[in-house]
Amino acid sequence: METDRNAEQQQATTAASSAPMTQIGRMRAAIAQTVAIAPRFLRGDVNADLMANTMVGAVRTYVEQQRAAGSDGTPQDADAQALQGTLAELMGCGSGYLAGRCDAACVARTMTQMVHEFAPR
């Protein structure tokens, strides 16, 4: 199981590092990081703790990248504005689960929506 987690983390890191260094690119990379492991979570191969930590970690990484780029994170255009809500959902759902305010079924509903909306086709 530890090997699976390491592989998941590597896959997520690869998805994040291959994105362009624009605000939209960083936003999409954060979303892609979570969507990359979501199918395994939805099948029960990955637990909700790892999924929630990935969700929160992806958004935190995005925020750190924005700060490093000299930005306060304010969306720069309409596309970024739309993705801002997605990042807020990832952070709210992931942190809510980690704080015990919701359960794995709630995380599954959020990730099902993310996969439908953002998974590569």
Side-chain angles (χ1 to χ4, degrees), residues 26-35 38 51-60 62 83-98 102 107 110-115 118:
R26 288 186 288 271
M27 291 173 135
R28 289 190 187 281
I31 295 164
Q33 185 176 355
T34 63
V35 170
M51 187 74 250
N53 278 303
T54 300
M55 295 161 76
V56 170
V59 176
R60 286 183 178 159
Y62 160 74
L83 292 177
Q84 189 78 17
T86 301
L87 294 177
E89 179 66 21
L90 287 171
M91 179 58 93
C93 180
S95 62
Y97 172 82
L98 294 172
C102 64
V107 175
T110 297
M111 292 317 301
T112 297
Q113 180 60 36
M114 295 293 166
V115 167
F118 294 104

Side-chain angles (χ1 to χ4, degrees), residues 1-81:
M1 188 62 139
E2 195 60 37
T3 302
D4 287 342
R5 286 184 183 189
N6 291 337
E8 296 295 342
Q9 293 295 350
Q10 273 187 328
Q11 183 181 12
T13 300
T14 300
S17 65
S18 64
M21 295 316 281
T22 64
Q23 183 180 38
I24 290 291
R26 288 186 288 271
M27 291 173 135
R28 289 190 187 281
I31 295 164
Q33 185 176 355
T34 63
V35 170
I37 68 166
R40 290 185 47 118
F41 165 68
L42 294 170
R43 283 191 311 266
D45 298 335
V46 170
N47 67 36
D49 289 340
L50 178 61
M51 187 74 250
N53 278 303
T54 300
M55 295 161 76
V56 170
V59 176
R60 286 183 178 159
T61 297
Y62 160 74
V63 170
E64 289 169 10
Q65 290 170 340
Q66 282 298 103
R67 285 186 185 138
S71 173
D72 64 359
T74 302
Q76 297 172 349
D77 58 26
D79 290 336
Q81 181 69 39

